[in-house]
Amino acid sequence: MIRAFDTFSLPLLRWLDPEDAHRLAIQGLRLLPPMRPKAGDPKLAVRAFGLNFPNPVGMAAGFDKNAEVPDALLRLGFGFVEIGSVTPRPQSGNPRPRLFRLERDEAIINRMGFNNDGAQTVLRRLASRAHHSGIVGVNVGANKDSDDRTVDYVRLIETFAPVASYFTVNVSSPNTPGLRNLQQSAALDDLLARVIDARERVRKNAGDSPVLLKIAPDLSLNELDDVVHIARSRRVDGMIVANTTLARPATLRESNRAKEQGGLSGRPLFRLSTRMVAETYVRVEGAFPLIGVGGIDSGGAALTKIRAGASLIQLYSSLVYKGLGLVEDIKRDLSSTLLRTGRDSLSEIVGADAAALTAEDWPVR
């Protein structure tokens, strides 16, 4: 069914405006008939953040912003789904056009600006699936016109704790002016302290809510030192590495389209984001797991990200070019790698290449 869906949908979606295509994809997933997920390889199961993931392949935030199709995505084989980014109040985001394909580079530029239906609408959708299984994380952000962005994050933790499998504190989107300033030491320390305090306040009634921090790939290594130190000292449960980049590698072939403002994702981000995974992994020293995201478009790319230090991975941009069948392709390749090498789980190779990667020349930005 997935192959048939890709065969029919990919040419049509690529012909449409990118944002219209995205909306049509969401609608198509809403219409998919219920089906039982294909039985997965138990060797691909991952234990992280206190959660049991059936496989390491997740849908990254940004696709299902408003929690419209998390269960459809889980049935299609994802090990987990991250919805959002969600803000306390609905907001329309930046003016269109704000989403661009770089076809020859298999990349995307977006400047969406946290467009979403707002916390209350998204909460109702997640509450309605409370009887469903599956890991659904909530990526939280601040309203563009917020008087106190830290208060926005705290309010979202309190709101979604009963229905979120985990939280991602998104301070790394480049499309909300000033948001990345929250990665600076003092601001980040205050934010995480208040977020963790909010999580603890609601724990008794809402249960455990792991808190992850999502960072930009554009941090300097000195900045990364500070971020990891704060994340460890505030006892976050994990980090996601990394968001989209403001860099424009000289190797991009779609040079005119590359001039669009916004964050770049997809294949050109792979080397930089993978290096940042490795750099983060060696600094974290096993204190918590990492999710690696950025440019994963094959089983080999997924394996590289895991060997750099990621316990779990996420996809989004590559699905635009490869289709939903990519999820099963990656899982099949990871299973084959474990079988071929005689290993019982992916945990045996997480971070195997991290030290070597950090010794290489820095990827060309």
Side-chain angles (χ1 to χ4, degrees):
M1 180 181 290
I2 294 174
R3 297 296 180 188
F5 182 82
D6 285 344
T7 300
F8 170 76
S9 65
L10 282 180
L12 171 63
L13 295 176
R14 296 268 289 281
W15 181 75
L16 297 173
D17 167 83
E19 193 164 347
D20 292 339
H22 175 259
R23 187 67 241 161
L24 185 59
I26 293 288
Q27 295 294 347
L29 288 170
R30 292 178 68 176
L31 295 173
L32 277 183
M35 57 185 179
R36 182 174 299 176
K38 182 180 178 181
D41 181 351
K43 288 187 176 183
L44 294 185
V46 176
R47 174 77 176 172
F49 325 121
L51 301 170
N52 294 315
F53 296 79
N55 69 72
V57 185
M59 173 62 89
F63 179 79
D64 190 10
K65 288 175 173 286
N66 296 306
E68 295 177 86
V69 291
D71 292 297
L73 292 168
L74 291 169
R75 291 195 299 269
L76 288 171
F78 285 96
F80 63 108
V81 173
E82 187 170 312
I83 64 96
S85 293
V86 184
T87 55
R89 289 174 285 107
Q91 62 182 28
S92 58
N94 294 319
R96 294 181 64 168
R98 54 192 179 179
L99 186 63
F100 308 90
R101 300 188 197 98
L102 282 67
E103 298 271 356
R104 289 184 294 167
D105 300 295
E106 294 192 15
I108 300 289
I109 291 175
N110 93 83
R111 51 172 181 264
M112 304 298 288
F114 282 174
N115 57 305
N116 73 104
D117 292 341
Q120 291 307 309
T121 296
V122 174
L123 176 63
R124 286 194 295 271
R125 291 183 181 133
L126 289 178
S128 71
R129 67 167 303 276
H131 62 286
H132 291 266
S133 61
I135 296 174
V136 179
V138 178
N139 184 300
V140 294
N143 281 114
K144 181 178 180 179
D145 59 354
S146 175
D147 293 329
D148 187 334
R149 287 177 171 172
T150 299
V151 169
D152 281 8
Y153 288 96
V154 168
R155 184 177 301 145
L156 291 165
I157 298 294
E158 295 169 342
T159 299
F160 285 101
V163 296
S165 300
Y166 68 86
F167 286 103
T168 296
V169 177
N170 186 355
V171 293
S172 51
S173 169
N175 301 315
T176 296
L179 187 77
R180 284 190 170 187
N181 293 337
L182 290 174
Q183 294 177 120
Q184 296 174 1
S185 296
L188 182 63
D189 188 53
D190 177 64
L191 171 64
L192 291 181
R194 293 168 68 180
V195 163
I196 296 297
D197 180 64
R199 189 269 304 275
E200 295 304 311
R201 285 199 308 272
V202 300
R203 184 192 292 270
K204 182 177 180 180
N205 295 323
D208 290 333
S209 302
V211 171
L212 282 56
L213 175 67
K214 187 168 186 175
I215 64 171
D218 305 319
L219 295 173
S220 69
L221 293 183
N222 286 337
E223 290 170 331
L224 182 62
D225 288 339
D226 291 339
V227 167
V228 171
H229 173 73
I230 293 166
R232 293 180 63 174
S233 66
R234 291 300 176 185
R235 298 185 181 278
V236 303
D237 299 282
M239 289 175 61
I240 300 182
V241 187
N243 214 316
T244 59
T245 181
L246 290 172
R248 296 293 186 267
T251 54
L252 291 176
R253 290 182 287 179
E254 300 273 7
S255 55
N256 288 332
R257 188 58 57 84
K259 296 175 184 176
E260 294 288 350
Q261 292 184 335
L264 175 73
S265 60
R267 178 174 286 183
L269 182 56
F270 179 73
R271 289 194 65 214
L272 174 60
S273 61
T274 303
R275 178 62 177 266
M276 289 297 287
V277 168
E279 296 285 355
T280 305
Y281 179 83
V282 299
R283 287 162 171 77
V284 166
E285 299 177 310
F288 47 69
L290 306 178
I291 299 179
V293 56
I296 300 171
D297 60 2
S298 66
L303 183 63
T304 298
K305 198 78 77 175
I306 291 168
R307 293 182 65 90
S311 295
L312 301 159
I313 61 170
Q314 290 179 325
L315 317 174
Y316 178 8
S317 297
S318 58
L319 300 172
V320 173
Y321 298 101
K322 300 293 181 69
L324 289 165
L326 177 62
V327 178
E328 291 301 324
D329 290 344
I330 289 174
K331 291 191 294 183
R332 183 176 58 252
D333 286 352
L334 292 178
S335 292
S336 296
T337 297
L338 292 178
L339 181 64
R340 186 176 64 254
T341 58
R343 292 185 168 93
D344 293 324
S345 75
L346 291 170
S347 63
E348 298 178 41
I349 58 174
V350 171
D353 295 338
L357 285 170
T358 62
E360 294 180 358
D361 291 337
W362 196 260
V364 177
R365 291 180 184 261

